[in-house]
Amino acid sequence: GQQLNQSPQSMFIQEGEDVSMNCTSSSIFNTWLWYKQDPGEGPVLLIALYKAGELTSNGRLTAQFGITRKDSFLNISASIPSDVGIYFCAGRLTGANSKLTFGKGITLSVRP
Amino acid sequence: DGGITQSPKYLFRKEGQNVTLSCEQNLNHDAMYWYRQDPGQGLRLIYYSQIVNDFQKGDIAEGYSVSREKKESFPLTVTSAQKNPTAFYLCASFASLGYTFGSGTRLTVV
């Protein structure tokens, strides 16, 4: 099936630093979603983007829907220890039977 | 509170046995999904159902079966035909704002 590209697989940052994660695809999507997964739990939706060029914030998180509809980024500002986890991007095409396509995720570690 | 409940949280199975993972939602969502998660692999779609009494294979359906007799319930059976069943299994349902996930079931074959 389709895949979204997220790299690197792991990121290590210092507490207080900003971090940016990118997600790219060879296909266009009509919706981009960013999820965070804590160990042993299901992913939780952080931000949803519905329009090309859209920039949306949720607290210290900011995400953008790329103009080409083939990419999105997530920025976390002033990181804190509880930001540790796996961050997934997901894309969706509107329409019947459309499914979410997920990236492989980026594991974020925050050093105190 | 509305949500998705997966049970059990941890499940151990002997090789050659079938096992059924439960997924129940009270969100009144039509669409439900099962994903498998392995380290470094992301989420891979096993089966999904858009409506009661209908379901479709995902990318890795071999060795799995599902049913959708009620809107609220979408159980997944891991059969003995699944060669490498040890994994973390996630159930999700979908509405207009995106997927809601359950907290997962970790299946270990011993």
Side-chain angles (χ1 to χ4, degrees):
Chain A
Q2 286 179 308
Q3 275 282 332
L4 297 181
N5 301 310
Q6 286 186 267
S7 65
Q9 192 172 351
S10 302
M11 298 180 79
F12 299 85
I13 61 173
Q14 202 74 32
E15 184 178 356
E17 288 181 342
D18 299 348
V19 62
S20 189
M21 304 176 188
N22 202 38
C23 185
T24 62
S25 171
S26 56
S27 306
I28 63 171
F29 289 101
N30 296 330
T31 301
W32 283 88
L33 305 167
W34 284 92
Y35 286 86
K36 182 194 176 204
Q37 184 180 29
D38 291 326
E41 297 296 327
V44 174
L45 182 65
L46 298 174
I47 291 181
L49 302 157
Y50 301 104
K51 231 166 73 165
E54 180 182 354
L55 185 71
T56 297
S57 293
N58 178 8
R60 294 178 297 106
L61 308 178
T62 302
Q64 183 157 31
F65 190 143
I67 291 289
T68 65
R69 294 199 286 157
K70 292 184 178 181
D71 64 333
S72 175
F73 79 76
L74 174 72
N75 188 71
I76 305 173
S77 62
S79 59
I80 59 178
S82 62
D83 289 335
V84 164
I86 304 176
Y87 290 81
F88 291 100
C89 63
R92 179 175 181 264
L93 288 172
T94 307
N97 295 331
S98 62
K99 310 179 291 289
L100 279 187
T101 299
F102 284 88
K104 292 189 175 183
I106 293 176
T107 300
L108 180 66
S109 299
V110 179
R111 288 186 285 256
Chain B
D1 277 18
I4 297 183
T5 302
Q6 289 187 243
S7 61
K9 181 71 175 173
Y10 299 95
L11 192 55
F12 295 87
R13 183 196 102 175
K14 290 184 180 177
E15 276 193 42
Q17 287 182 338
N18 292 356
V19 64
T20 297
L21 283 58
S22 170
C23 178
E24 303 279 331
Q25 55 106 352
N26 60 4
L27 299 165
N28 200 34
H29 290 171
D30 287 316
M32 297 186 74
Y33 305 80
W34 273 105
Y35 285 89
R36 171 181 171 138
Q37 184 176 23
D38 297 283
Q41 293 283 336
L43 303 178
R44 294 184 290 170
L45 182 64
I46 305 172
Y47 267 98
Y48 65 103
S49 168
Q50 298 284 328
I51 198 168
V52 174
N53 291 323
D54 185 56
F55 47 83
Q56 308 292 330
K57 291 183 179 180
D59 300 319
I60 56 165
E62 186 175 348
Y64 299 98
S65 65
V66 293
S67 63
R68 187 85 187 277
E69 297 175 3
K70 298 186 300 182
K71 189 175 187 178
E72 301 79 21
S73 179
F74 190 40
L76 173 74
T77 297
V78 185
T79 75
S80 56
Q82 170 50 235
K83 298 305 177 194
N84 185 21
T86 294
F88 190 53
Y89 291 87
L90 287 162
C91 178
S93 69
F94 176 77
S96 58
L97 294 181
Y99 280 22
T100 300
F101 283 89
S103 58
T105 292
R106 183 164 299 280
L107 173 65
T108 303
V109 173
V110 296

